[in-house]
Amino acid sequence: MNLSPLRTRLVVGALFVVALLGALDHTVVATSLATIAGDLGALAHMSWIIVAYTLASTVLLPVMGRLGDAIGPRTVFLASITLFLAASLACGFAWNMTSLVVARVVQGIGAAGIQLMSQTLVAYIAEPRRRAQYMSVIGAAFPVAIVAGPLIGGVITDTWGWPWVFWINLPVGGIALVFAASALPRVARAERRPRIDVPGAIAFATGMTALVLGVTWFGEGAGAPAVAAVVLAAVAFTAFVAIERRATHPLVALEIFRDRRMAAATALSAIIGVGLFAIVAYVPTFIQMAYGVTATVSGFVPIATVFGMLVASLGTGWLVGRTGHYRRYAIAGPLISAAGLATMAFLPTGLPLGVPMAAMAVVGIGTGAFMSLVVAVAQSSVPRESTGAATAAVNLVRQIGSTVATAIVGGIIGSGVAALLGADIASLTPSEIRAASDGVQAAVVDAYATVVSPVFGALAAVYVIGFLIALLLPAGRIDDAHPAPTPSHQTTT
């Protein structure tokens, strides 16, 4: 079914608003973690406010993808928004850490559906080359959330109290829900009844839970439990692959990866999770320590990265929408990001802050050039009944790569700096270091440069691998893949 230009814009607008709501929740809450945990008397378990949400949203990604293919993405999308809003209400009323974590798990489940279906629905309303353009608009929700989320979270926490960090979702999400319900077309179901691969879902959930717990415990220094969790994850994922290969209705149809476009797009998504998301959280700390600036000033560096991502994503989406050519951007993007990270690796400290800002902006431009594009490529590479599964796979590998690589990078930086400086100096806050002697400041700068520079270099190498993967993409236009899924003739009014 062909939607009118106005109807299409309304649908894309609705999808962007809801996607922004889900993305903002993660970044807004991050600013309020210490306040929330302190008020609930559980500072030692503060990380679980984030881990519970991330774990639930990751584990449910393939399940949501399968449900979207089975009962229709519109139904799953609207149900996910409703679940997300109900959980947001419960989060604000949490009376202890346990109740908050349970509510965050439910909220993460809703977020998984919002994230996936906002992208899957694009495949039902647009031809392949337009998907890249619309996907870049919806994908802009993530960089906007990175910039705006911490500021919004801080203002709300200081002004209204931390429960409103969650309750603010209700009026905004309520409007978005009505908007989405009225604008989204009804689409045909791939099957009469949803059939979920329960054994596969259990194996995958076990593997992901064990993996997230393992990397979290490694970061907390719990060696033996972390090793046991990682071993369990390996066993569970091995079982998952075996189950999926034999399942009649697999949770993830492994045969979709036989298509070269699909395999390359999924691998490129993992490159983004490892290459960028693993380091962006630590860049402000590095800038504060190595350049001696305040936390506020250091925030300009990730902002420059996000701005580069946003401009490049919208730009390549528009270009692909006009020409259909996509391969050149997937090839150039990783090389551009690799150049930016390599510059950071060899950048001497003490330069004006504009220099690392420019280098990280280049990283953002390179990543943005193919970040949303790979989702459109994956969707265009599979038949209609696998659209949700393909979208889930691309998002899933990015999230897994980010989770694992973030834990590894954090461990390298933390242990490396502590080994070079000693526990006393390594535990100093940025403000305390700025007030310390010149000798202490110089030692801190050298330590961070020594530890972090090789990390930038290693991540540049990851992007070079991404360049090699992109070369596997076939030439031609994005339209040359499978046709778009066909919406039913029933639409909402």
Side-chain angles (χ1 to χ4, degrees):
M1 173 183 175
N2 293 322
L3 301 180
S4 67
L6 176 60
R7 181 73 176 276
T8 301
R9 292 189 186 97
L10 288 174
V11 171
V12 174
L15 296 177
F16 170 78
V17 171
V18 178
L20 180 61
L21 185 69
L24 273 175
D25 187 82
H26 190 63
T27 56
V28 167
V29 172
T31 310
S32 311
L33 282 179
T35 302
I36 297 172
D39 193 39
L40 296 178
L43 282 171
H45 304 291
M46 178 175 62
S47 64
W48 284 101
I49 301 174
I50 297 295
V51 171
Y53 181 90
T54 304
L55 180 61
S57 60
T58 303
V59 166
L60 267 293
L61 277 176
V63 176
M64 289 296 183
R66 180 61 178 153
L67 277 176
D69 289 336
I71 66 176
R74 182 182 184 274
T75 301
V76 177
F77 186 63
L78 297 179
S80 297
I81 299 174
T82 304
L83 187 65
F84 180 85
L85 296 180
S88 297
L89 180 65
C91 285
F93 282 114
W95 60 93
N96 57 27
M97 184 59 76
T98 300
S99 60
L100 178 59
V101 168
V102 171
R104 287 286 283 172
V105 167
V106 178
Q107 198 179 32
I109 295 172
I114 290 173
Q115 175 186 347
L116 270 187
M117 296 303 111
S118 62
Q119 297 175 351
T120 302
L121 281 161
V122 173
Y124 287 82
I125 66 170
E127 67 275 11
R129 70 167 59 185
R130 288 295 178 189
R131 291 179 201 169
Q133 184 176 357
Y134 298 148
M135 206 72 72
S136 67
V137 175
I138 297 170
F142 177 75
V144 169
I146 291 179
V147 174
L151 176 62
I152 295 173
V155 171
I156 291 176
T157 302
D158 293 339
T159 306
W160 298 338
W162 68 261
W164 282 99
V165 168
F166 302 105
W167 290 341
I168 196 67
N169 293 332
L170 299 177
V172 178
I175 295 172
L177 178 60
V178 173
F179 189 22
S182 60
L184 291 173
R186 296 185 185 276
V187 297
R189 298 180 180 183
E191 298 174 347
R192 290 296 180 184
R193 295 182 301 169
R195 299 178 182 178
I196 302 300
D197 173 23
V198 176
I202 293 174
F204 178 78
T206 302
M208 271 310 306
T209 301
L211 179 62
V212 172
L213 289 176
V215 296
T216 301
W217 287 337
F218 266 125
E220 295 174 352
V227 172
V230 171
V231 171
L232 176 60
V235 172
F237 283 131
T238 301
F240 173 70
V241 172
I243 291 170
E244 296 305 281
R245 294 179 68 176
R246 293 173 173 81
T248 305
H249 300 281
L251 195 65
V252 177
L254 299 180
E255 62 268 16
I256 66 176
F257 297 105
R258 294 174 183 170
D259 185 282
R260 198 166 66 178
R261 289 184 182 90
M262 180 65 203
T266 305
L268 283 171
S269 188
I271 293 295
I272 297 172
V274 175
L276 178 64
F277 294 175
I279 190 61
V280 72
Y282 302 107
V283 167
T285 299
F286 169 69
I287 295 298
Q288 289 176 56
M289 296 300 194
Y291 287 79
V293 299
T294 63
T296 301
V297 173
S298 71
F300 285 108
V301 179
I303 287 175
T305 310
V306 168
F307 183 74
M309 290 170 59
L310 184 59
V311 171
S313 179
L314 293 174
T316 55
W318 182 80
L319 289 170
V320 174
R322 285 182 60 87
T323 68
H325 293 292
Y326 69 98
R327 186 172 181 264
R328 62 188 65 169
Y329 309 111
I331 292 174
L335 281 182
I336 294 171
S337 291
L341 286 168
T343 301
M344 289 295 294
F346 293 102
L347 206 62
T349 56
L351 296 177
L353 192 63
V355 178
M357 283 179 62
M360 289 304 296
V362 169
V363 178
I365 290 171
T367 303
F370 68 102
M371 183 175 67
S372 297
L373 179 61
V374 295
V375 181
V377 171
Q379 291 178 340
S380 301
S381 305
V382 298
R384 173 201 180 283
E385 62 271 14
S386 298
T387 304
T391 309
V394 172
N395 283 272
L396 182 62
V397 297
R398 182 182 304 176
Q399 205 150 316
I400 293 174
S402 173
T403 300
V404 176
T406 299
I408 293 173
V409 170
I412 291 173
I413 294 176
S415 60
V417 170
L420 291 174
L421 294 178
D424 292 339
I425 298 179
S427 62
L428 294 177
T429 65
S431 60
E432 290 172 337
I433 290 173
R434 289 195 299 273
S437 65
D438 292 342
V440 170
Q441 292 183 30
V444 170
V445 169
D446 289 342
Y448 272 86
T450 300
V451 173
V452 180
S453 291
V455 173
F456 282 121
L459 297 179
V462 170
Y463 270 107
V464 172
I465 296 173
F467 161 73
L468 298 176
I469 293 171
L471 292 176
L472 299 176
L473 288 167
R477 301 173 187 268
I478 198 170
D479 317 63
D480 297 337
H482 293 278
T486 304
S488 70
H489 293 290
Q490 291 182 316
T491 59
T492 57
T493 57

